[in-house]
Amino acid sequence: MKHDLADKDLTGAAEAFRRLCASDRKVNDQAGSILTLIVWRAGQVLSGVPGVRAFALRRLCQLADAVWVRGVIGAELPPQVVAGPGLCLAHAGRGVVLHPETRIGADVKIYHQVTVGVRDANGAPEIGDRAMLGAGSKILGPIVLGDGTQVGANAVLLTSTETDSSYVGIPARRVAGGQGEMKW
């Protein structure tokens, strides 16, 4: 789970942006979700790219982030977050808050009002591939969500999870079944 930018230049950033947006577009059909991801992905791939043009583009991304992502959508999606391809932000990511050290795998679906953050000033979570975070869920602390983990709506997850498992409740606990058992 890292941004695939072997060479930190504007051409490499543009190619990474196109690749990430194409994979995200396949799983997002709402215009608001697509716009949120375009603004966020642009900020991600431009992070650390040297040059005046990259600097100007980063400022444009920051303006779009301030107006659309933070102002209209009410989300906090820092460009430092590492997120794999095929990310789905249901409902345009309204109210989603991600800690800058969060790591997100490929083909992850995040519903509205989700918080992924630290607990007691410790590290941020790492979310495996094909995970699904239900509306209003909170994933807190230096935990690892196994591939295929499903977190139910409004659950508060404080511990690492098993692969292809479902978690619900406050604090969240594993429930019988796994991937495909929980109906969203």
Side-chain angles (χ1 to χ4, degrees):
M1 281 190 287
K2 64 181 183 81
H3 294 300
D4 194 15
L5 290 175
D7 47 338
K8 283 280 202 174
D9 65 8
L10 207 49
T11 304
E15 179 55 38
F17 175 75
R18 280 191 291 276
R19 191 173 48 255
L20 288 168
C21 286
S23 66
D24 294 343
R25 176 66 176 96
K26 292 177 184 175
V27 293
N28 290 278
D29 57 358
Q30 297 175 341
S33 298
I34 294 166
L35 181 56
T36 300
L37 283 161
I38 286 171
V39 171
W40 187 35
R41 292 297 196 179
Q44 286 179 313
V45 299
L46 288 168
S47 180
V49 176
V52 175
R53 289 178 59 200
F55 175 82
L57 288 171
R58 274 194 303 278
R59 294 301 167 257
L60 184 60
C61 286
Q62 289 171 343
L63 177 62
D65 178 70
V67 172
W68 176 255
V69 177
R70 292 176 187 265
V72 175
I73 299 301
E76 292 183 30
L77 308 173
Q80 301 90 337
V81 172
V82 176
L87 181 65
C88 179
L89 289 178
H91 311 290
R94 290 191 189 280
V96 172
V97 177
L98 302 177
H99 187 275
E101 295 174 11
T102 300
R103 301 175 62 78
I104 302 171
D107 302 316
V108 171
K109 186 168 192 171
I110 302 175
Y111 282 89
H112 56 285
Q113 300 295 324
V114 169
T115 298
V116 180
V118 299
R119 184 181 58 183
D120 301 329
N122 291 321
E126 182 175 325
I127 300 166
D129 297 339
R130 302 178 327 280
M132 187 177 299
L133 309 180
S137 62
K138 311 298 181 238
I139 293 78
L140 305 172
I143 61 176
V144 177
L145 274 67
D147 293 345
T149 294
Q150 295 184 12
V151 181
N154 295 315
V156 178
L157 187 60
L158 305 172
T159 58
S160 293
T161 69
E162 298 176 32
T163 301
D164 294 322
S165 55
S166 300
Y167 292 78
V168 298
I170 302 172
R173 64 196 177 290
R174 187 170 191 263
V175 293
Q179 188 74 355
E181 290 292 318
M182 196 177 289
K183 302 299 182 204
W184 301 93

